[in-house]
Amino acid sequence: MKKVKSNVKTARTITGTVNRDVLEYTVGNDPEWDLHLAEWDCIGTAAHVTMLAAMPVNPPVMQPAECAAVIKELAAIIARIRQGRFSISRADQDVHMAVERMLTDRLGDTGRRVHTGRSRNDQVAVDLRLYSKNELLNTLDETLALARALCRFARKHKNVPMVGRTHLQPAMPSSVGLWASGYAEGLLDDIVTLEAAYTVNDRNPLGSAAGYGVPLPIDRRLTTRLLGFREPVHNVFYASCARGKVEGIILCALQQIMLELSRIAEDLIIFSMPEFGYFSLPKEFCTGSSIMPQKYNPDVLELVRGRTARIMGLAQGVLITRKALPGGYNRDLQETKGALIEGFNCVRGSLRMLAGIIDGIVVNREALLGAFSPGVFATDYALELVAAGRPFRAAYNHVREHLDELGCADPFKAVSRKTHLGATAGLDLKLLMSSISRHAASSKSRRRKFYGCLSKLVGVNYQEVK
Amino acid sequence: MKKVKSNVKTARTITGTVNRDVLEYTVGNDPEWDLHLAEWDCIGTAAHVTMLAAMPVNPPVMQPAECAAVIKELAAIIARIRQGRFSISRADQDVHMAVERMLTDRLGDTGRRVHTGRSRNDQVAVDLRLYSKNELLNTLDETLALARALCRFARKHKNVPMVGRTHLQPAMPSSVGLWASGYAEGLLDDIVTLEAAYTVNDRNPLGSAAGYGVPLPIDRRLTTRLLGFREPVHNVFYASCARGKVEGIILCALQQIMLELSRIAEDLIIFSMPEFGYFSLPKEFCTGSSIMPQKYNPDVLELVRGRTARIMGLAQGVLITRKALPGGYNRDLQETKGALIEGFNCVRGSLRMLAGIIDGIVVNREALLGAFSPGVFATDYALELVAAGRPFRAAYNHVREHLDELGCADPFKAVSRKTHLGATAGLDLKLLMSSISRHAASSKSRRRKFYGCLSKLVGVNYQEVK
Amino acid sequence: MKKVKSNVKTARTITGTVNRDVLEYTVGNDPEWDLHLAEWDCIGTAAHVTMLAAMPVNPPVMQPAECAAVIKELAAIIARIRQGRFSISRADQDVHMAVERMLTDRLGDTGRRVHTGRSRNDQVAVDLRLYSKNELLNTLDETLALARALCRFARKHKNVPMVGRTHLQPAMPSSVGLWASGYAEGLLDDIVTLEAAYTVNDRNPLGSAAGYGVPLPIDRRLTTRLLGFREPVHNVFYASCARGKVEGIILCALQQIMLELSRIAEDLIIFSMPEFGYFSLPKEFCTGSSIMPQKYNPDVLELVRGRTARIMGLAQGVLITRKALPGGYNRDLQETKGALIEGFNCVRGSLRMLAGIIDGIVVNREALLGAFSPGVFATDYALELVAAGRPFRAAYNHVREHLDELGCADPFKAVSRKTHLGATAGLDLKLLMSSISRHAASSKSRRRKFYGCLSKLVGVNYQEVK
Amino acid sequence: MKKVKSNVKTARTITGTVNRDVLEYTVGNDPEWDLHLAEWDCIGTAAHVTMLAAMPVNPPVMQPAECAAVIKELAAIIARIRQGRFSISRADQDVHMAVERMLTDRLGDTGRRVHTGRSRNDQVAVDLRLYSKNELLNTLDETLALARALCRFARKHKNVPMVGRTHLQPAMPSSVGLWASGYAEGLLDDIVTLEAAYTVNDRNPLGSAAGYGVPLPIDRRLTTRLLGFREPVHNVFYASCARGKVEGIILCALQQIMLELSRIAEDLIIFSMPEFGYFSLPKEFCTGSSIMPQKYNPDVLELVRGRTARIMGLAQGVLITRKALPGGYNRDLQETKGALIEGFNCVRGSLRMLAGIIDGIVVNREALLGAFSPGVFATDYALELVAAGRPFRAAYNHVREHLDELGCADPFKAVSRKTHLGATAGLDLKLLMSSISRHAASSKSRRRKFYGCLSKLVGVNYQEVK
């Protein structure tokens, strides 16, 4: 219900004077989103000034002592960020201007040299890649943690019979182990796209300036090494065009994880209804109603579904932004930042919630066994006729015509008879667990290398950070 | 880089004790989004207690004096909201619990009676409809304001020739008046879907409780009158299922407006490039570069495009949420609130920005005239042959084979010769303006009626509010 | 597995010679989609030539006798279309060129005059609006038919108790009548957006040529009358820019219907699982499995869900197409045609399927009654304490602490005690039915007027067409 | 305008009798889409029967001679498919039933044994993975071909100056080489996600039956080897849940390619407008207008943009389908097939079109050079001041205040002075070309291995197939 001010007012920014309403519109939520990038902006700037100080020009753009002073200030800003004492004013517009202003306030002309040979596009591109690299590693670890929880759950209830369903209708005998480890395997497929996003992201855009380079001997290989990137983005025009693209690829990968989680959530919501009662959800993950005293609702699982929808929309928004966008930087891309940050927060939160729920589920054997009806064994019976020599289609038709005569079989036996690879009695959970461990080890070693570079660059300890 | 706390802690809420991480996940951004709903929540509560006090039961649920006390407190809370002194804690979870707690803190048992016969679903549904009604009226007015600005611009430059394009290639003679008033007419079509959203939204869901009514003689017609709604949603189950649906319909209407704005923005970005120079954008709507000193970029227009993409994504997220959602309230729907609020903010801001830009554009006649080349007149020439009796397809082929011989005609004359309805010389801008005025008058009378009800209900002045 | 031909070949079209692979790419599925538009193209052309023959120019563009000859040919083409003997070659590219070629083959120079003063953009725009008008009326009628089926179902089982759910968990006593009529009311809300789409669509774009008019005294009011449109699109530039927009608005309205259907489908899928058994689906709407002899799966309902997703995607594609598209016609818009046609087919088919299913459902009272557990009555019990004077929050807390002591109440009584407006015992199904009838009458009168114009224009009977 | 038949009729299918309208609705476009899968269905069946014949059961499910007879028939069906003489009736419903029926017609009981131990879910899953594997290899090759065309173009015009743009406004000196090779590098990033899709897809789902295995010693490792898959999907429940997921991952990868193409297309559309004239598009890729004789429109490029939107919508539809879908097969997934096939066709066609256009573009040096204005050199000038010792921000402000005094510099020199990695004079096109070649070699070797398996399995030559 805010009123639009009719009287035009202006505000001063580092690049000139602008209309206040315009500033409000253009800055948008940047000061808030940029807080997530603040530490990474300091790190990117540290790499840039280290490179400037090493640049073989005469007179040098920056003296080694100036460089050290800047890095010291950056470390101080990082400390402030970690203490929650860093903020971005609307006049600063964004984190880049805020940091440059702080450096200039403290170091005068040295601060004014920092932006030599780079643009804000450059900065935000490198900030986002550093931020995303860290978040991708976190997401990887948390995806693996959920896969591990599902495997543990599968192992614990491996041979507990459960009605297998297609079209939600009872279909064939299955087991809790098959159900849970199936989703774990699904998450491992999602890690393939997550890894691809990691690979695309793990390249250094710094040194592209506004997308057309600068007439200075910028050493992009040096900043690549300092920041722990796999390699530089080569073409500087592409370095700038890739903004929004990397975010889109990451969000598509995150969206895949959410889709998998939404299916786990849906199954759990259904199977914990009193009409099924297969699973009791841990009460600390349920919430009540303001009017109905008896309620314990699976709110967390429903929010996983709801946030899947939201992330899908955010991803879609980022993709649409790039459609037919002219080459070179365009301001449209500012809008992709928030979607990326919200995407990571939401996926990571959902992964942790689900891992907690899986760990806390109580499995009700009686309810699971009670759900078996004769029809569930119809296919097994047809295949027994096949084993006795009948062509399958004839056996199928025979059973279909004698459904009423079908009796209930022993679910445990039914489950134990599917011995082929990946079936209820052919599951190799160790294989799955070892695949999870391999991924975890690779993530750990990447993190160690990455944090090693960062610690060396700004002298801040990155060992314990997550 | 926040670390997940490993030690499980709990927090108390009005509906019980929950795990702290779970509370964090379930509450999400609600305390922030709910600030936009706070005043409306007080109004909805005022209607509810007025109805409770009038309910023919013995003993009465609420005495008239209690009702008056509650409304007085609500008016005080509204005052605090308007002063920016209202906030929602994570323990409150949402605005509904915050207001109920404040009332109970001040009024004791009277406060504890307020929630009789309603649920939070009820409350958030009515809050969102009241909020949306007000925002839809604001959006309507701002859409009309932009249409009016386009009409003014069209009238001022009505017959200034401009190359008409298809496929972005020069096509036929056109005019600045045709271009600008075309987009104004487009916005009037968008108002049809906006009005439909208004109609769907303008119904009272209050009194549906959790979607299944209550065994109390709730008077839903009374609250409908008090709140100024067109009519009640009839079926209480549907009142609850409509949550998310109304939001989706509104966002689809907002998205249509943004799509129209994105096309205006695209045209302006192209036609203000130096290669065209048709239009000079007002400098106060442009921003500079941190590295390139010469730059004035059409950032505002690019953000209009970028936010179009974002709103499309948010709308999509809301629609996806409802796909195959089981009947009755599901927590997934919490996620739709933020999209709605962001949608209104973004569309309204974009409408105001574009109106300002249109008002400030300088039209460069020479650049417009200089762009006419012989080919632009080819169709006119073919139709001259038709006028002389040649079948059209033959005339077309003749001109196509003699393109090199074509000369340039007088653009002013070409524009003045298309006299039929809606063509360059057949535009009826008065018709358009009177249609805009009709819509504006209807919006004004709706607003007057709506604000009249609200003022009467809570004794707060709603005349000047926008 | 088609191989790309490496040797470049060319093909002749009416507008010149083009590369064969290029023709393949540009024509796409148009010849197939355009079959849906063929009859409407003939009708649009009939209106155009009637107008040309009446045009006050000397020499006349077309003689009355020529006009009559063209219309006779068009009626013959319509007859061929209805017999399925009309096809479009890739050299014709689209229906417009196909019809123009047929007319020229039969009528020589008269055929070559037909395209005077119009463009293909003009034609496809008017074709799509005529096609959509007819389909919107059909969709309206079929939506009303489903709403009527739901009302009949609700009336028949009005007071049959059914556990009302929120979060899919048992919540409060409800009824089959409340459930079914709730969705009927939902469809009436969808009709509001469908009507808005109808209003936006019901305007005549013909006479805009390529979006910039022509130097001929085109009488757009005449063609508007002949074709039965509400009014002309005024601005000719906007007439061309509205292409894709109208389709997007229609698809958003169709998508809303599908979303509602997807929720009905989801509820039916769940409530017909053996664990619930509330409803038995008519077997003719279920299908079997190729391997499991016992299966009757709710495939139709699942396809309703799946096609909801598909239509959402198609709608999204159309919306994205228009984002930041430069003004005037752009070829991108060709892609929106198929989405529109598929959208109508899918929504109409789904509406008919669901109406058939609702009519055939068997309601199992025992299963419905058997699902009531004590907790479902907890809120009713708390409100009894309120009726006895206890503040609601205190009553709520009391019940919450004594849940174990709660007994089961009589579901019939519980349902009969919610007497307020729109609750289980306060439903006014006559109100709903009369609203449906009002819409149906309005649709019938629109159809009569529309078909009257068409019959008069081309002398073909449009009474029985649907 | 087809009328719905009111009289209910039924049709017989292999799984029972169904209502004709229902059959129409459920079968949908499957008979058409399934033609794309027909050959792959034969191949999958060949692997299945080979495995059945080797199964260590007594009596054997299938004799070696029976197996040979089936494979001979399958080879004959493949031949018919390649000749275009294979079709699927609505009674067959889908390709699986059509092939099973043909085998049974020819081989009697042997045909009836073929379906032993598998379901249609199984079949369509393996068909789609085989089809996708082949199409992914084709898409890879065609993406590489376009990247190669861009590199060739970049090499040819490497140092031709071109105004570099941000916000579409002139920004800094750039080159045609930087522009073209930037997009080539972009495509290589897209290949990372395409490879991830390949990896996820390259696993064998066959042997999962309806998602719960069968009580037969199915040898899934054997069919994996026979079909040339990397490994089996392990968990049979997941094999069934992965349906729709793999399609979604593939479509997201295809969508990324389209987004890149849409940006190339947008740049070409803009830079080939007469106001720029940088590039002349090959006329055979342009098309004319039905009304404007002078027109050569960049229709192909516009369709690339339009199809980008369409593919984004189709991808979105597939993703939405899976959101919160219950575990196990659900019929919703049928709808994802068409999107996948259309996705491949569209992306591959667009890649080939763009490669043709890039190869045929004429570069107009004069137009490119004529576009340089003094402002384009402003940043270079500021950095000269930096080189002379001025802090950057001071130099920037100095130039900003003296913009009017700026003169035009030599574009060739400006371009030659950006020598750092990836800038105009620091491009390493050989690096790019060698990366393309590496990918091409890997694709070739994969294809050789894949086709080797297929040829051996069904005795049909797969060397030349693409």
Side-chain angles (χ1 to χ4, degrees), chain A residues 165-167 169 171 273 275-276 289-290 292-295 297 302 316 320 323 375 379 393 396 400, chain C residues 165-167 169 171 273 275-276 289-290 292-295 297 302 316 320 323 375 379 393 396 400:
Chain A
R165 288 163 197 276
T166 62
H167 310 260
Q169 294 283 325
M273 290 168 78
E275 285 78 4
F276 291 85
S289 153
S290 73
M292 294 172 285
Q294 88 281 12
K295 284 284 238 167
N297 294 319
E302 294 166 82
Q316 187 70 358
I320 296 172
K323 193 219 115 195
T379 310
R393 192 55 66 206
Y396 169 97
R400 194 171 178 88
Chain C
R165 287 163 197 277
T166 61
H167 311 261
Q169 294 283 325
M273 290 168 77
E275 284 77 5
F276 291 84
S289 153
S290 73
M292 295 171 284
Q294 88 281 10
K295 284 284 237 165
N297 294 319
E302 294 166 82
Q316 187 70 356
I320 297 172
K323 195 220 112 192
T379 311
R393 190 57 65 208
Y396 168 98
R400 194 172 178 88

Coordinates of all heavy atoms in Angstrom, one line a residue, chain A residues 165-167 169 171 273 275-276 289-290 292-295 297 302 316 320 323 375 379 393 396 400, chain C residues 165-167 169 171 273 275-276 289-290 292-295 297 302 316 320 323 375 379 393 396 400:
Chain A
R165 N 3.3 -51.1 -6.6 CA 2.2 -50.5 -7.3 C 2.6 -50.0 -8.7 O 3.7 -49.5 -8.9 CB 1.6 -49.3 -6.5 CG 0.9 -49.7 -5.3 CD 0.7 -48.6 -4.3 NE 0.4 -49.3 -3.0 CZ -0.8 -49.7 -2.7 NH1 -1.9 -49.4 -3.5 NH2 -1.1 -50.3 -1.6
T166 N 1.6 -50.1 -9.6 CA 1.7 -49.2 -10.8 C 0.3 -48.6 -10.9 O -0.7 -49.1 -10.4 CB 1.9 -50.1 -12.1 OG1 0.9 -51.0 -12.3 CG2 3.3 -50.9 -12.0
H167 N 0.3 -47.4 -11.4 CA -1.0 -46.6 -11.5 C -1.6 -46.5 -10.1 O -2.8 -46.4 -9.9 CB -2.0 -47.3 -12.4 CG -1.5 -47.7 -13.8 ND1 -1.7 -47.0 -14.9 CD2 -0.7 -48.8 -14.2 CE1 -1.2 -47.6 -15.9 NE2 -0.5 -48.6 -15.5
Q169 N -2.3 -48.6 -8.2 CA -3.0 -49.8 -7.9 C -2.1 -50.9 -7.5 O -1.0 -51.0 -8.0 CB -3.9 -50.3 -9.1 CG -5.0 -49.3 -9.5 CD -6.2 -49.4 -8.6 OE1 -6.5 -50.5 -8.1 NE2 -6.8 -48.3 -8.3
A171 N 0.1 -54.0 -7.7 CA 0.5 -54.6 -8.9 C 1.2 -56.0 -8.6 O 0.7 -57.0 -9.0 CB 1.5 -53.7 -9.6
M273 N -0.7 -42.2 5.3 CA -2.2 -42.0 5.6 C -2.7 -43.2 6.5 O -2.2 -44.3 6.3 CB -2.9 -41.9 4.3 CG -2.7 -40.7 3.5 SD -3.4 -40.9 1.8 CE -5.1 -40.5 2.1
E275 N -5.1 -44.9 6.2 CA -5.6 -46.0 5.3 C -4.5 -47.0 4.9 O -4.8 -48.1 4.5 CB -6.3 -45.5 4.1 CG -7.7 -44.9 4.4 CD -7.6 -43.5 5.0 OE1 -6.5 -42.9 5.2 OE2 -8.7 -42.9 5.3
F276 N -3.3 -46.5 5.0 CA -2.1 -47.4 4.7 C -1.4 -47.7 6.0 O -1.3 -48.9 6.3 CB -1.2 -46.7 3.7 CG -1.8 -46.6 2.3 CD1 -2.6 -45.5 2.0 CD2 -1.5 -47.6 1.3 CE1 -3.2 -45.4 0.7 CE2 -2.1 -47.5 0.1 CZ -2.9 -46.4 -0.2
S289 N -2.7 -28.2 13.5 CA -3.7 -27.3 12.9 C -4.1 -26.3 13.9 O -4.2 -26.6 15.1 CB -4.9 -28.1 12.4 OG -6.0 -27.3 12.4
S290 N -4.5 -25.1 13.5 CA -5.0 -24.1 14.4 C -6.4 -24.3 14.9 O -6.9 -23.7 15.8 CB -4.9 -22.7 13.8 OG -5.9 -22.5 12.8
M292 N -8.0 -27.8 14.3 CA -8.3 -29.3 14.5 C -7.3 -29.8 15.5 O -6.1 -30.0 15.1 CB -8.3 -30.0 13.2 CG -9.4 -29.6 12.2 SD -9.3 -30.2 10.6 CE -8.0 -29.3 9.9
P293 N -7.7 -30.1 16.7 CA -6.8 -30.5 17.7 C -6.1 -31.8 17.5 O -5.0 -32.1 18.0 CB -7.6 -30.6 19.0 CG -9.0 -30.0 18.7 CD -9.1 -30.1 17.2
Q294 N -6.7 -32.7 16.7 CA -6.1 -34.1 16.5 C -5.0 -34.2 15.5 O -4.4 -35.3 15.3 CB -7.3 -35.0 16.2 CG -7.5 -35.2 14.7 CD -8.4 -34.0 14.1 OE1 -8.6 -33.0 14.7 NE2 -8.8 -34.2 12.8
K295 N -4.7 -33.1 14.8 CA -3.9 -33.2 13.6 C -2.4 -33.3 13.8 O -1.8 -32.6 14.6 CB -4.2 -32.0 12.7 CG -5.6 -32.0 12.0 CD -5.5 -33.0 10.8 CE -5.9 -32.2 9.6 NZ -5.6 -33.0 8.4
N297 N 0.1 -33.2 10.7 CA 0.2 -33.2 9.2 C 1.6 -33.3 8.7 O 2.5 -32.8 9.3 CB -0.4 -31.8 8.7 CG -1.9 -31.7 9.0 OD1 -2.6 -32.7 8.9 ND2 -2.3 -30.6 9.5
E302 N 4.9 -31.9 2.3 CA 4.1 -31.1 1.4 C 4.9 -29.9 0.9 O 4.8 -29.5 -0.3 CB 2.8 -30.6 2.0 CG 1.9 -31.8 2.4 CD 0.7 -31.3 3.3 OE1 -0.2 -30.8 2.8 OE2 0.9 -31.6 4.5
Q316 N 12.7 -22.0 -14.7 CA 12.1 -21.6 -15.9 C 12.3 -20.1 -16.2 O 12.6 -19.7 -17.3 CB 10.6 -21.9 -15.8 CG 9.8 -21.7 -17.1 CD 10.1 -22.7 -18.1 OE1 10.9 -23.6 -17.9 NE2 9.4 -22.6 -19.2
I320 N 14.0 -18.6 -19.5 CA 13.3 -17.6 -20.4 C 14.1 -16.3 -20.6 O 14.2 -15.8 -21.6 CB 11.9 -17.3 -19.8 CG1 11.0 -18.5 -19.7 CG2 11.2 -16.2 -20.6 CD1 9.7 -18.3 -19.0
K323 N 16.4 -16.5 -23.5 CA 15.9 -16.8 -24.8 C 16.0 -15.6 -25.7 O 15.4 -14.6 -25.4 CB 14.5 -17.3 -24.7 CG 14.0 -17.9 -26.0 CD 12.6 -17.5 -26.3 CE 12.5 -16.7 -27.6 NZ 11.3 -16.0 -27.8
G375 N -4.8 -60.6 -5.9 CA -4.5 -60.1 -7.2 C -3.0 -59.8 -7.4 O -2.4 -59.9 -8.5
T379 N 0.5 -62.2 -11.5 CA 1.6 -62.3 -12.5 C 2.5 -63.5 -12.1 O 2.9 -64.2 -13.0 CB 2.4 -61.0 -12.6 OG1 1.4 -59.9 -12.7 CG2 3.3 -61.0 -13.8
R393 N 1.4 -65.5 -23.2 CA 0.1 -64.8 -23.5 C -1.1 -65.7 -23.2 O -2.1 -65.3 -22.7 CB 0.1 -64.3 -25.0 CG -1.1 -63.4 -25.3 CD -1.2 -62.1 -24.4 NE -0.1 -61.2 -24.6 CZ 0.3 -60.4 -23.6 NH1 -0.3 -60.3 -22.5 NH2 1.4 -59.6 -23.8
Y396 N -1.3 -65.8 -19.3 CA -1.9 -64.5 -18.9 C -3.4 -64.5 -19.1 O -4.2 -64.2 -18.2 CB -1.3 -63.4 -19.8 CG -1.9 -62.0 -19.7 CD1 -1.4 -61.1 -18.9 CD2 -3.0 -61.7 -20.5 CE1 -2.0 -59.8 -18.8 CE2 -3.6 -60.5 -20.5 CZ -3.1 -59.5 -19.6 OH -3.6 -58.2 -19.6
R400 N -6.3 -64.3 -16.2 CA -7.2 -63.2 -16.3 C -8.7 -63.8 -16.2 O -9.5 -63.1 -15.6 CB -7.0 -62.5 -17.6 CG -7.7 -61.2 -17.7 CD -7.3 -60.4 -18.9 NE -8.0 -59.1 -19.0 CZ -7.6 -58.0 -18.5 NH1 -6.5 -57.9 -17.8 NH2 -8.3 -56.9 -18.6
Chain C
R165 N -10.7 -34.1 4.2 CA -9.3 -34.2 4.5 C -8.6 -32.8 4.2 O -9.0 -32.0 3.4 CB -8.6 -35.1 3.5 CG -8.9 -36.6 3.8 CD -8.7 -37.5 2.6 NE -9.4 -38.7 3.0 CZ -8.9 -39.7 3.8 NH1 -7.7 -39.6 4.3 NH2 -9.6 -40.7 4.1
T166 N -7.5 -32.6 5.0 CA -6.6 -31.5 4.7 C -5.2 -32.2 4.8 O -5.1 -33.2 5.6 CB -6.6 -30.3 5.6 OG1 -6.3 -30.8 7.0 CG2 -8.0 -29.7 5.6
H167 N -4.3 -31.8 4.0 CA -3.0 -32.5 4.0 C -3.1 -34.0 3.7 O -2.3 -34.8 4.2 CB -2.2 -32.3 5.3 CG -2.2 -30.9 5.8 ND1 -1.1 -30.1 5.6 CD2 -3.1 -30.1 6.5 CE1 -1.3 -28.9 6.2 NE2 -2.5 -28.9 6.7
Q169 N -4.7 -36.0 5.2 CA -5.1 -36.6 6.5 C -6.5 -36.4 6.8 O -7.1 -35.3 6.5 CB -4.2 -36.1 7.6 CG -2.7 -36.4 7.5 CD -2.4 -37.8 7.8 OE1 -3.0 -38.4 8.7 NE2 -1.4 -38.4 7.1
A171 N -9.6 -35.0 8.5 CA -9.7 -33.7 9.1 C -11.1 -33.5 9.8 O -11.1 -33.5 11.1 CB -9.5 -32.6 8.1
M273 N -8.6 -46.4 -4.9 CA -7.6 -47.4 -4.5 C -8.4 -48.4 -3.6 O -9.2 -48.0 -2.8 CB -6.5 -46.8 -3.8 CG -5.6 -45.9 -4.7 SD -4.4 -44.9 -3.7 CE -3.2 -46.2 -3.2
E275 N -7.5 -49.5 -0.8 CA -7.4 -49.1 0.5 C -8.5 -48.1 0.9 O -8.8 -47.9 2.1 CB -6.0 -48.4 0.8 CG -4.9 -49.4 0.9 CD -4.4 -50.0 -0.5 OE1 -5.0 -49.5 -1.5 OE2 -3.6 -50.9 -0.6
F276 N -9.1 -47.4 0.0 CA -10.2 -46.5 0.3 C -11.5 -47.2 -0.2 O -12.4 -47.4 0.6 CB -10.0 -45.2 -0.4 CG -8.9 -44.4 0.1 CD1 -7.6 -44.6 -0.3 CD2 -9.2 -43.4 1.1 CE1 -6.6 -43.9 0.3 CE2 -8.1 -42.7 1.7 CZ -6.8 -42.9 1.3
S289 N -3.2 -54.4 -18.1 CA -1.8 -54.5 -18.2 C -1.4 -55.6 -19.1 O -2.1 -56.6 -19.2 CB -1.2 -54.7 -16.8 OG 0.1 -55.4 -16.9
S290 N -0.2 -55.4 -19.8 CA 0.2 -56.5 -20.7 C 0.9 -57.7 -20.0 O 1.0 -58.7 -20.5 CB 1.2 -55.9 -21.7 OG 2.5 -55.7 -21.1
M292 N 0.3 -58.0 -16.1 CA -0.5 -58.4 -14.9 C -1.9 -58.6 -15.2 O -2.7 -57.6 -15.5 CB -0.3 -57.2 -13.9 CG 1.2 -57.1 -13.4 SD 1.5 -55.6 -12.4 CE 1.5 -54.4 -13.6
P293 N -2.4 -59.9 -15.1 CA -3.7 -60.2 -15.6 C -4.8 -59.6 -14.7 O -5.9 -59.4 -15.2 CB -3.8 -61.7 -15.5 CG -2.4 -62.2 -15.3 CD -1.6 -61.0 -14.6
Q294 N -4.5 -59.2 -13.4 CA -5.6 -58.8 -12.5 C -5.9 -57.3 -12.6 O -6.8 -56.8 -12.0 CB -5.2 -59.1 -11.1 CG -4.4 -58.0 -10.4 CD -2.9 -58.0 -10.8 OE1 -2.4 -58.6 -11.7 NE2 -2.1 -57.2 -10.0
K295 N -5.2 -56.5 -13.5 CA -5.2 -55.1 -13.4 C -6.4 -54.4 -14.1 O -6.8 -54.8 -15.2 CB -3.9 -54.6 -14.0 CG -2.7 -54.7 -13.1 CD -2.7 -53.7 -12.0 CE -1.5 -52.9 -12.0 NZ -1.5 -51.7 -11.2
N297 N -6.6 -50.4 -14.4 CA -5.9 -49.2 -14.0 C -6.7 -48.0 -14.4 O -7.4 -47.9 -15.5 CB -4.6 -49.1 -14.7 CG -3.7 -50.2 -14.2 OD1 -3.6 -50.5 -13.0 ND2 -2.9 -50.8 -15.1
E302 N -5.2 -40.9 -15.2 CA -3.8 -40.5 -15.2 C -3.4 -39.7 -16.4 O -2.6 -38.8 -16.4 CB -2.9 -41.8 -15.2 CG -3.1 -42.6 -13.9 CD -2.5 -44.0 -14.0 OE1 -1.3 -44.2 -13.9 OE2 -3.3 -44.9 -14.2
Q316 N 3.0 -22.6 -21.9 CA 4.3 -21.9 -21.6 C 5.1 -21.6 -22.8 O 5.6 -20.5 -23.0 CB 5.1 -22.8 -20.6 CG 6.3 -22.2 -20.0 CD 6.0 -21.2 -19.0 OE1 4.8 -20.8 -18.8 NE2 7.0 -20.6 -18.4
I320 N 6.3 -17.9 -23.9 CA 7.7 -17.6 -24.1 C 8.0 -17.0 -25.4 O 8.8 -16.0 -25.6 CB 8.6 -18.8 -23.9 CG1 8.4 -19.4 -22.4 CG2 10.0 -18.5 -24.2 CD1 9.1 -20.7 -22.2
K323 N 7.6 -13.3 -25.5 CA 8.5 -12.4 -24.6 C 9.5 -11.6 -25.4 O 10.3 -12.2 -26.0 CB 9.2 -13.3 -23.6 CG 9.8 -12.5 -22.4 CD 11.1 -13.0 -22.0 CE 12.2 -12.0 -22.3 NZ 13.5 -12.6 -22.2
G375 N -10.8 -39.1 15.7 CA -10.1 -37.8 15.5 C -10.9 -36.9 14.6 O -10.8 -35.7 14.7
T379 N -12.7 -31.5 16.2 CA -13.0 -30.1 16.1 C -14.5 -29.8 16.5 O -14.8 -28.8 17.2 CB -12.8 -29.6 14.7 OG1 -11.5 -30.0 14.3 CG2 -12.9 -28.0 14.6
R393 N -9.6 -21.2 22.1 CA -8.3 -21.7 22.2 C -8.1 -22.7 23.4 O -7.4 -23.7 23.4 CB -7.3 -20.6 22.3 CG -5.8 -20.9 22.1 CD -5.4 -21.7 20.9 NE -5.6 -21.0 19.6 CZ -5.9 -21.5 18.5 NH1 -6.0 -22.9 18.3 NH2 -6.0 -20.8 17.4
Y396 N -9.8 -26.0 22.4 CA -8.9 -26.7 21.5 C -7.8 -27.4 22.3 O -7.5 -28.6 22.1 CB -8.3 -25.6 20.5 CG -7.1 -26.0 19.7 CD1 -7.3 -26.4 18.4 CD2 -5.8 -26.0 20.2 CE1 -6.2 -26.8 17.6 CE2 -4.7 -26.4 19.4 CZ -4.9 -26.8 18.1 OH -3.8 -27.1 17.4
R400 N -7.1 -31.4 22.6 CA -5.8 -31.8 22.2 C -5.1 -32.7 23.2 O -4.4 -33.7 22.9 CB -4.9 -30.6 21.8 CG -3.6 -31.0 21.1 CD -2.9 -29.7 20.7 NE -1.6 -30.0 20.0 CZ -1.5 -30.2 18.7 NH1 -2.6 -30.2 17.9 NH2 -0.3 -30.5 18.1

